[in-house]
Amino acid sequence: MPDSDSPESFDVVIVGAGFSGMYLVERCRSLGFSCVVLEQGSDVGGTWYWNRYPGARCDIPTIEYSYSFDPDLEQEWDWSELMGAQPEILTYANHVADRFDLRRDMRFDTRVSAASFDETANRWTVTTTKGDRFEAPHLILATGCLSKPNWPAIEGRESYQGKILHTALWPHEPVTFHGERVGIIGTGSSAIQSIPEIAETAEHLHVFQRTPNYTMPAENHPLTDEFRNEIKANYAEMRDLQRHSLAGMARYGVMGRIQEVGEEKIVEVDEEERRRRLAEDGLPSLRRYADVGIDLEANELACDIYREYVAGVVDDETTADALMPRDYPLGCKRQVVDIDYYETFNRDNVSIVDLRIDPIAEITPRGIRTESADYEFDVLIYATGFDAMTGAINDIEITGRDGRLLRDEWSAGPRTYLGLQSAGFPNLFMITGPGSPSVLSNMMVSIEQHCEWVTDCMAYLRDRNYRAIEATMPAQDGWVEHVNAVANGTMLTVESCNSWYLGANVPGKPRVFMPYVGGVGNYRKRCDAVAAADYEGFALS
Ligand code: FAD
Ligand code: N01
């Protein structure tokens, strides 16, 4: 019996109970590993547990954004809409947790603060903020790519006396805005989804915008029984297409128009024809030209049409002008999709504050003071995003071999082999880590692929009496070089692009492109080949 000061012991410690951590429990159990999940929230769901702001929903068909590992689960679950809303996705997460009795191996309200590797014992010891300790040979970080909210350091932030909300930390009790004056900072996906809903009830909504975004209509709609039945009969085919696709999407019967790049170049199509296509196919037509994603001049032609579209929807000329993205290309950030975003700015109770012209000077006790005006409101909403991809990992003090700290190793940007491991940190795995397709894909597909690869790897080690696996430095260096090489030449890395993919949204964060552009299908092949070659590029001991 361990004494009360001894850490609790498992085969695997997992941090995070989002879709990654949940599936890892199922995988560990099926392979005979004991595991515990440590989660700072009070229940499962991760992203969908925290981001409860009005309008939060999937930006891809939810049928595709669902687990594939259990055919019965697929058959018994009915999605109501093409792009399910947050409450429905969280209900799904809870259903999965109940159905597979996952909470039995989870500890909630438990935040991990540190993890250190003992080379002699070959074990990780994980410490929580409450001082509890857990140990295991394997540690898996399922901490999420978009789980550390970003609070901008704006002068006077602490002085605000009204109600403060962050889209990524939304309260569990209903929030209403009836009769309230609301200010929102940010115009990323979270803001673009929530602004139309907040505007419905707020007395007045001030939108503080630093960078206008490119957003496209979500084309969401309720699903029919006929469509659901068709999918249910063809799940296996859909999953196969997803796994071997570029972005983890089969676009099975839906979303055919978005992001399907054709052969034709925008520079070869005359202006009238471009406009005709826009009228017929909407904004997604702009991303279908072969050159828009790779040639800045072609991209600018698409942006001109985009801006014309905004001018056509937004009545007030100054507001329309403020909402027009300029100076950075379409496709450099994750595509935002919306429901009636631009139309919302035609309401009398919504106004935009263009921070490019009139920057924020400070937050005051009653609102925001820009360089030329004072705005007062009852509620201030931060829709200011995340310290993405590395934020949650770097928040944990992770000490690997020879006392090296992961956050020091990553001080100039994350370095991994395949986004799965970092050299110097044996038996430490990441789910959808930097250097993997991750946030450039349908995350459910990437999550399942990583959870399966990692747990298969642990079973391989166990079956052959290996105690440790660690990415080698040459393999890691080669992979980092490859990740950078494939990202260059795309809109994702051009100088004018300031996306969170590049860490550019957090002051002081190194500007490094973090996810892998090479595609979900190619990446899976590479991971499978590495495993088949006895984990080539990893040292087993
Ligand atoms: P998360 O869901 O982020 O879960 C990680 C968990 O780890 C969190 O619950 C967190 O509390 C916990 N954690 C972190 N650090 C610690 C610690 N130190 N100690 C204890 N617990 C910790 N992806 C898509 O593919 N399609 C979409 O439509 C889509 N929509 C999104 C909408 C929003 C609003 C956001 C924010 C993201 C969206 N994403 C989408 C990305 C989404 O994050 C992933 O799809 C997926 O949910 C990630 O699951 P995860 O389990 O890997 O991470
Ligand atoms: O965060 P963001 P998000 N002063 O970083 C602004 C996923 N997601 O939560 O661009 C003023 O995109 C900032 O301005 P700027 C999806 O992957 C998906 O909206 O830095 N403004 C920007 O406008 C997404 O990409 C969905 O100039 C400041 C905004 O805050 C990712 O999560 C829905 C500021 C932040 O935008 C992040 O989206 C929601 C400052 N000091 C999220 N600091 C779906 O639709 C920041 N901003 C599925």
Side-chain angles (χ1 to χ4, degrees):
M1 277 292 279
D3 63 53
S4 58
D5 289 338
S6 302
E8 277 186 74
S9 227
F10 298 88
D11 294 328
V12 192
V13 173
I14 297 158
V15 189
F19 282 129
S20 300
M22 292 169 65
Y23 184 38
L24 282 168
V25 172
E26 176 57 17
R27 288 289 299 175
C28 284
R29 284 183 190 162
S30 67
L31 291 167
F33 292 111
S34 64
C35 70
V36 66
V37 173
L38 309 175
E39 165 60 54
Q40 62 189 346
S42 303
D43 208 340
V44 297
T47 286
W48 307 101
Y49 170 88
W50 296 106
N51 292 262
R52 297 169 188 239
Y53 60 83
R57 64 173 65 246
C58 229
D59 60 3
I60 55 174
T62 333
I63 274 186
E64 299 219 25
Y65 184 80
S66 60
Y67 285 122
S68 73
F69 69 83
D70 187 292
D72 292 338
L73 173 64
E74 288 180 334
Q75 294 301 319
E76 74 200 13
W77 186 264
D78 286 327
W79 292 104
S80 67
E81 291 178 280
L82 179 65
M83 294 170 175
Q86 174 273 334
E88 188 173 19
I89 303 174
L90 186 59
T91 305
Y92 174 74
N94 279 297
H95 169 72
V96 175
D98 292 341
R99 193 184 189 286
F100 297 95
D101 190 17
L102 300 180
R103 292 188 187 83
R104 167 158 64 87
D105 290 319
M106 294 180 169
R107 309 284 169 89
F108 297 107
D109 304 306
T110 303
R111 179 172 167 78
V112 170
S113 50
S116 70
F117 187 67
D118 178 335
E119 286 168 62
T120 319
N122 201 62
R123 290 182 93 70
W124 282 96
T125 300
V126 175
T127 311
T128 72
T129 50
K130 290 184 264 186
D132 297 330
R133 289 183 307 139
F134 300 82
E135 62 161 33
H138 297 286
L139 171 60
I140 309 180
L141 299 177
T143 42
C145 294
L146 296 159
S147 57
K148 180 180 177 183
N150 176 40
W151 291 96
I154 302 173
E155 179 83 21
R157 203 183 90 197
E158 306 302 328
S159 71
Y160 182 68
Q161 301 289 307
K163 185 171 187 173
I164 297 173
L165 298 170
H166 193 300
T167 47
L169 294 167
W170 204 259
H172 289 204
E173 62 278 5
V175 180
T176 59
F177 297 104
H178 287 279
E180 297 204 284
R181 298 163 305 164
V182 182
I184 186 166
I185 303 177
T187 46
S189 290
S190 303
I192 287 176
Q193 284 188 328
S194 55
I195 284 167
E197 302 238 353
I198 296 167
E200 289 284 331
T201 56
E203 183 188 305
H204 196 92
L205 175 62
H206 280 294
V207 178
F208 292 85
Q209 172 197 264
R210 192 166 61 182
T211 311
N213 233 312
Y214 297 98
T215 169
M216 303 204 171
E219 302 182 20
N220 185 38
H221 53 76
L223 294 182
T224 60
D225 281 341
E226 192 191 354
F227 182 75
R228 272 192 291 264
N229 290 339
E230 194 190 320
I231 293 276
K232 282 185 183 181
N234 292 290
Y235 256 125
E237 181 197 3
M238 187 186 90
R239 301 304 190 187
D240 195 53
L241 283 168
Q242 287 182 321
R243 288 181 192 128
H244 299 99
S245 66
L246 184 70
M249 299 273 296
R251 302 196 177 90
Y252 187 83
V254 286
M255 300 264 291
R257 302 189 326 176
I258 292 184
Q259 289 174 10
E260 220 173 61
V261 178
E263 305 265 297
E264 205 171 25
K265 293 183 172 173
I266 196 168
V267 292
E268 289 163 1
V269 175
D270 67 44
E271 252 185 84
E272 203 182 315
E273 176 59 12
R274 283 179 215 147
R275 292 206 177 95
R276 194 195 62 72
R277 289 186 194 178
L278 180 78
E280 200 166 282
D281 287 351
L283 287 173
S285 67
L286 300 178
R287 296 201 62 170
R288 288 171 60 189
Y289 296 106
D291 47 354
V292 166
I294 48 171
D295 175 351
L296 268 177
E297 241 172 80
N299 196 284
E300 189 50 23
L301 284 178
C303 294
D304 283 341
I305 299 183
Y306 185 94
R307 288 185 284 266
E308 265 180 49
Y309 169 88
V310 176
V313 181
V314 180
D315 298 339
D316 177 68
E317 224 175 280
T318 314
T319 305
D321 195 58
L323 286 164
M324 289 175 190
R326 291 189 176 86
D327 307 327
Y328 75 96
L330 175 67
C332 101
K333 302 184 180 185
R334 182 160 177 126
Q335 182 61 59
V336 180
V337 298
D338 73 90
I339 299 175
D340 294 340
Y341 178 63
Y342 289 123
E343 290 79 356
T344 300
F345 289 90
N346 292 333
R347 298 177 64 112
D348 292 338
N349 68 334
V350 177
S351 41
I352 191 141
V353 182
D354 187 346
L355 302 177
R356 291 172 302 180
I357 296 172
D358 189 15
I360 294 181
E362 61 171 341
I363 293 180
T364 67
R366 288 161 182 256
I368 288 180
R369 180 174 303 133
T370 60
E371 284 182 1
S372 66
D374 245 318
Y375 299 89
E376 291 192 358
F377 28 78
D378 309 298
V379 186
L380 172 56
I381 302 174
Y382 288 85
T384 45
F386 303 87
D387 181 351
M389 302 211 72
T390 52
I393 295 177
N394 281 339
D395 263 3
I396 304 173
E397 183 159 294
I398 299 173
T399 314
R401 226 169 9 81
D402 308 323
R404 61 182 83 176
L405 271 181
L406 186 63
R407 64 168 85 105
D408 287 349
E409 300 291 309
W410 286 10
S411 59
R415 297 188 71 80
T416 71
Y417 179 39
L418 297 168
L420 284 160
Q421 272 208 337
S422 198
F425 299 83
N427 293 2
L428 172 67
F429 297 97
M430 288 161 273
I431 303 300
T432 65
S436 71
S438 182
V439 288
L440 292 177
S441 68
N442 170 358
M443 290 284 276
M444 276 299 230
V445 175
S446 293
I447 284 170
E448 285 196 331
Q449 185 248 338
H450 264 193
C451 292
E452 287 159 15
W453 193 96
V454 168
T455 47
D456 284 346
C457 171
M458 294 186 326
Y460 177 99
L461 300 178
R462 176 188 60 193
D463 297 346
R464 287 161 185 78
N465 290 320
Y466 286 117
R467 283 159 53 86
I469 181 165
E470 181 186 336
T472 66
M473 203 51 95
Q476 176 167 293
D477 290 345
W479 184 251
V480 170
E481 205 176 298
H482 174 62
V483 169
N484 289 329
V486 290
N488 287 337
T490 68
M491 292 302 133
L492 296 159
T493 52
V494 295
E495 221 180 308
S496 56
C497 182
N498 286 315
S499 68
W500 56 258
Y501 292 147
L502 286 157
N505 64 326
V506 175
K509 195 165 168 172
R511 187 182 164 95
V512 171
F513 187 76
M514 293 183 279
Y516 178 55
V517 188
V520 160
N522 290 335
Y523 173 79
R524 173 184 293 271
K525 266 193 227 151
R526 179 70 181 254
C527 291
D528 289 349
V530 163
D534 294 321
Y535 294 89
E536 189 180 18
F538 291 93
L540 310 186
S541 55

